């Protein structure tokens, strides 16, 4: 139940120079913002009154790109993000098999051979021995390739003929998509719900009050979107879902059936840079390939037109410059068919958009396209000597993830994690954008915060959330700020964004509500 909440003695981040210490929420909507004295008028029978102890109060964060079932599966399986060698990966598989003899599948994700001294991936024969014959699926950190066991491959007749298959058990492209689909079938309904529940719990405790769940046939069944939304209902967290399938009568029917906001998200134009499947105009610097393009310009155009006519958001995963160019070409062609105003009304989305040409930015702004981007990608792979430079060379790597350029060009930004690729977080996204490895692409803290809050709501076509104002939806988070993290003294009457340098601990969420329903409480409520 939402009911009546009276929160006093806080420091509300209003986005300007105004001062407020209290807010009142009734039936999911903010009905008062101001001083404590004015809030007293709302106290009475049924009101839940809370003293916030001078804590910082902000709009809740939005993760505009996540995969919650997969995130929970990694939490319950093997998170290999910190594995430092092929041998460590194999040892952890063997240990998991010993501890879970009943497991029908060993699911892991996060390994990155680029971080290992011996840059050699595990192979299927090694997984067979470590896993004891169980189906093993270990996705690379970008989740666009994986190493898999013989037991899993044997469940997929004809997999040898699929693009991206190798005898050593490393799969990418269509072979990887088929493996993921099969792995999804090995988890029960309750296991998938439990995975979503675990991930949503982390989201809520991180001050996220809304998450966009991006599904698609290569990730899992469409019913996962229903599962995630139903589990989110238990917690009270707002979830917006998207289904990544090319438009057609069947796809539209599926979207309507599962309540998806659009046929968008992980509808892949290309793959990922780490797996060398992102589609590039020029070959990779470290391999004689230009990656993979999954969709033609014609397919992109038809999808945009079909979705626009059906009143559904369209969107694409596009990382490499060739893929982004194709998406822009499709947008321009679709404009000729349905007109720019129709496209603007739907706020179509481009996910990742890591290699965008400056000449295309005006088109994105003109057509109201949302750039759904992941600041943590730059933090992880943008520094000198890291993945981007290794795969693309210095020239191309220095023009990745152009957040400030997009912002200056009036393109709407929404921040996400792509979890489980990078962790679910709010302040972490903001800090990564403020501390971009390319100084000219750093966002001001206020702009980065807006992209991580109101920008995510805008991406979902929600225009009454992401701001602490009367009449707006009550998506709110309350924070404890560690010593040295605040830009101004806690005793100062005007709330301010915390310091976001890399060496300062970020605020921790102690209380949050989504649509006026409390989703997280770390000992603040009486």
């Amino acid at each position: 139940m939402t009911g009546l909440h009276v929160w006093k003695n806080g420091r509300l981040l209003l986005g300007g120079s105004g001062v407020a210490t209290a807010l009142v929420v009734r039936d999911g909507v903010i009905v008062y913002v101001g001083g404590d004295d004015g809030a007293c008028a709302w106290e009475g029978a049924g009101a839940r009154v809370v003293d916030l102890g001078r804590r910082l109060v902000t709009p809740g964060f939005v993760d505009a790109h996540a995969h919650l079932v997969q995130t929970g599966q990694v939490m319950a399986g093997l998170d290999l993000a910190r594995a430092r060698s092929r041998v460590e990966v194999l040892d952890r598989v063997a240990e998991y098999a010993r501890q879970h003899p009943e497991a029908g599948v060993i699911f892991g994700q996060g390994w990155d051979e680029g971080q290992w001294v011996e840059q050699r991936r595990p192979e299927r024969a090694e997984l067979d021995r470590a896993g004891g014959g169980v189906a093993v699926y270990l996705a690379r950190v970008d989740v666009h390739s994986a190493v898999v066991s013989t037991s899993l491959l044997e469940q997929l007749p004809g997999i040898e003929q699929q693009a991206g298959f190798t005898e050593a058990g490393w799969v990418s492209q269509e072979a990887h998509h088929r493996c993921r689909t099969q792995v999804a079938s090995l988890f029960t309904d309750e296991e998938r719900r439990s995975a979503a529940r675990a991930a949503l719990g982390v989201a809520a405790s991180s001050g996220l009050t809304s998450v966009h769940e991006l599904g698609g046939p290569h990730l899992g069944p469409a019913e996962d979107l229903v599962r995630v939304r139903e589990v989110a209902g238990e917690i009270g967290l707002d979830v917006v879902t998207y289904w990544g399938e090319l438009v057609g009568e069947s796809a539209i029917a599926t979207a309507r059936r599962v309540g998806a906001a659009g046929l968008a998200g992980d509808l892949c134009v290309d793959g990922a840079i780490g797996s060398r499947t992102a589609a590039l105009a020029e070959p990779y610097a470290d391999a004689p390939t230009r990656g993979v393009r999954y969709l033609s310009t014609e397919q992109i155009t038809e999808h945009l037109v079909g979705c626009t006519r059906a009143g559904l958001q369209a969107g694409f995963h596009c990382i490499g410059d060739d893929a982004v160019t194709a998406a822009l070409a499709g947008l321009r062609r679709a404009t000729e068919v349905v007109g720019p105003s129709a496209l603007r009304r739907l706020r179509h989305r481009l996910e990742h958009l890591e290699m965008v040409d400056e000449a295309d930015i005006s088109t994105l702004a003109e057509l109201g396209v949302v750039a759904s981007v992941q600041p943590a990608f730059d933090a992880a792979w943008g520094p000198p000597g890291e993945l981007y430079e290794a795969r693309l060379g210095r020239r191309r790597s220095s023009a990745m993830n152009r957040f400030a350029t997009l912002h200056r060009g009036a393109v709407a930004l929404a921040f996400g994690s792509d979890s489980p690729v990078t962790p679910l977080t709010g302040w972490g996204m903001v800090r990564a954008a403020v501390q971009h490895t390319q100084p000219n692409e750093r966002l001001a803290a206020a702009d980065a915060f807006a992209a991580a809050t109101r920008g995510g709501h805008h991406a979902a076509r929600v225009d009454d959330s992401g701001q602490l104002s009367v009449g707006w939806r009550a998506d709110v988070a309350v924070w404890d700020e560690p010593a040295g993290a605040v830009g101004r003294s806690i005793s100062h009457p005007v709330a301010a964004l915390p310091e976001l340098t890399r060496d300062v601990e970020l605020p921790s969420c102690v209380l949050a509500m989504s649509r006026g329903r409390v989703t997280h409480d770390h000992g603040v409520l009486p």
Side-chain angles (χ1 to χ4, degrees):
M1 296 179 62
T2 53
L4 181 62
H5 300 263
V6 180
W7 291 2
K8 302 193 297 183
N9 193 27
R11 296 165 46 249
L12 275 64
L13 187 69
L14 301 180
S17 58
V19 178
T21 59
L23 82 161
V24 178
V25 174
R26 182 174 60 191
D27 296 332
V29 177
I30 298 172
V31 294
Y32 172 83
V33 173
D36 288 354
D37 290 345
C40 291
W42 296 88
E43 296 180 25
R48 194 168 194 179
V49 182
V50 179
D51 186 324
L52 297 178
R54 299 297 293 157
R55 292 181 173 95
L56 178 66
V57 185
T58 74
F61 287 110
V62 181
D63 190 319
H65 187 126
H67 310 286
L68 294 165
V69 171
Q70 290 73 26
T71 297
Q73 287 172 335
V74 172
M75 293 168 62
L78 289 174
D79 185 346
L80 301 171
R82 296 185 179 180
R84 290 296 172 256
S85 69
R86 175 182 59 86
V87 171
E88 183 180 342
V89 168
L90 294 170
D91 286 346
R92 292 187 61 184
V93 170
E95 180 64 20
Y96 187 92
R98 283 192 295 270
Q99 293 181 358
H100 302 84
E102 78 291 346
V105 59
I106 297 176
F107 186 98
Q109 186 263 338
W111 59 270
D112 181 358
E113 78 283 13
Q115 303 298 317
W116 304 342
V117 174
E118 179 195 22
Q119 295 189 6
R120 183 166 77 83
R121 297 181 291 263
E123 297 186 355
R124 82 192 255 192
E126 295 172 321
L127 294 187
D128 294 345
R129 289 191 293 271
V134 174
V136 181
Y137 169 88
L138 305 180
R140 196 183 179 281
V141 61
D142 54 53
V143 201
H144 280 264
S145 61
V147 287
V148 300
S149 67
T150 299
S151 177
L152 178 58
L153 293 173
E154 286 177 342
Q155 299 176 40
L156 295 163
I159 188 70
E160 299 85 356
Q161 282 74 53
Q162 297 297 321
F165 172 84
T166 70
E167 288 290 344
W170 180 55
V171 291
S172 62
Q173 302 179 58
E174 187 55 37
H176 179 237
H177 295 164
R178 287 199 61 192
C179 284
R180 284 191 67 88
T181 301
Q182 181 61 22
V183 167
S185 72
L186 301 178
F187 288 88
T188 66
D189 171 75
E190 183 48 42
E191 286 171 332
R192 301 183 80 77
R193 288 177 181 272
S194 178
R197 191 172 293 112
L200 284 162
V202 172
S205 66
S206 302
L208 293 164
T209 55
S210 183
V211 180
H212 299 181
E213 168 71 1
L214 277 67
H218 62 293
L219 293 170
E223 285 68 30
D224 272 356
L225 303 188
V226 178
R227 293 183 179 103
V228 167
R229 194 162 49 249
E230 289 178 351
V231 171
E234 299 170 9
I235 300 171
L237 201 65
D238 177 60
V239 169
V240 181
T241 60
Y242 293 92
W243 181 242
E245 184 177 0
L246 280 174
V247 73
E249 290 185 10
S250 175
I252 292 173
T254 297
R256 307 285 194 211
R257 175 172 57 83
V258 301
L263 294 169
D266 260 24
L267 178 55
C268 294
V269 179
D270 67 343
I273 290 168
S275 292
R276 298 188 185 89
T277 52
L280 304 181
E282 302 173 16
Y284 282 80
D286 61 353
T289 178
R290 294 186 180 182
V292 184
R293 176 106 81 77
Y294 298 122
L295 298 179
S296 67
T297 302
E298 290 72 21
Q299 288 174 306
I300 294 168
T301 303
E302 291 171 4
H303 185 74
L304 286 161
V305 170
C307 286
T308 302
R309 287 174 170 168
L312 291 168
Q313 279 183 288
F316 305 94
H317 161 122
C318 51
I319 287 180
D321 51 0
D322 179 69
V324 174
T325 296
L328 267 294
L331 282 161
R332 293 186 180 103
R333 292 186 186 184
T335 304
E336 297 172 1
V337 179
V338 298
S341 61
L343 291 177
R344 282 195 296 270
R345 187 165 54 250
L346 270 297
R347 297 181 196 171
H348 299 311
R349 302 169 54 140
L350 295 183
E351 309 295 323
H352 312 308
L353 197 66
E354 291 200 79
M355 298 178 71
V356 62
D357 190 294
E358 193 156 357
D360 289 328
I361 290 176
S362 61
T363 298
L364 296 173
E366 178 189 353
L367 298 180
V369 176
V370 175
S372 173
V373 297
Q374 290 68 47
F377 285 9
D378 174 76
W381 304 314
E386 288 291 345
L387 176 78
Y388 292 154
E389 188 173 301
R391 292 284 192 271
L392 304 173
R394 186 169 297 177
R395 174 180 58 84
R396 286 183 292 181
S397 67
S398 65
M400 299 286 293
N401 296 299
R402 307 183 70 180
F403 306 147
T405 300
L406 287 163
H407 177 70
R408 287 191 295 269
V411 177
L413 293 176
F415 285 172
S417 65
D418 198 15
S419 180
V421 176
T422 68
L424 293 161
T425 178
W427 290 113
M429 295 190 295
V430 178
R431 178 165 65 184
V434 171
Q435 299 293 335
H436 198 292
T437 54
Q438 300 298 325
N440 60 328
E441 293 299 344
R442 291 173 181 167
L443 286 174
D447 296 329
F449 183 80
T453 52
R454 191 169 177 179
H457 292 297
H458 174 85
R461 304 175 67 200
V462 174
D463 295 323
D464 63 347
S465 187
Q467 186 172 304
L468 301 182
S469 296
V470 172
W472 286 56
R473 206 170 80 183
D475 297 320
V476 186
V478 181
W479 307 90
D480 268 345
E481 298 175 87
V486 287
R488 304 186 187 199
S489 167
I490 288 178
S491 63
H492 195 283
V494 179
L497 289 167
E499 293 292 338
L500 294 167
T501 53
R502 291 190 180 92
D503 58 344
V504 173
E505 185 181 354
L506 294 172
S508 59
C509 183
V510 294
L511 183 63
M513 63 166 51
S514 176
R515 295 176 177 265
R517 180 176 170 183
V518 173
T519 54
H520 175 68
D521 171 33
H522 191 64
V524 176
L525 296 181

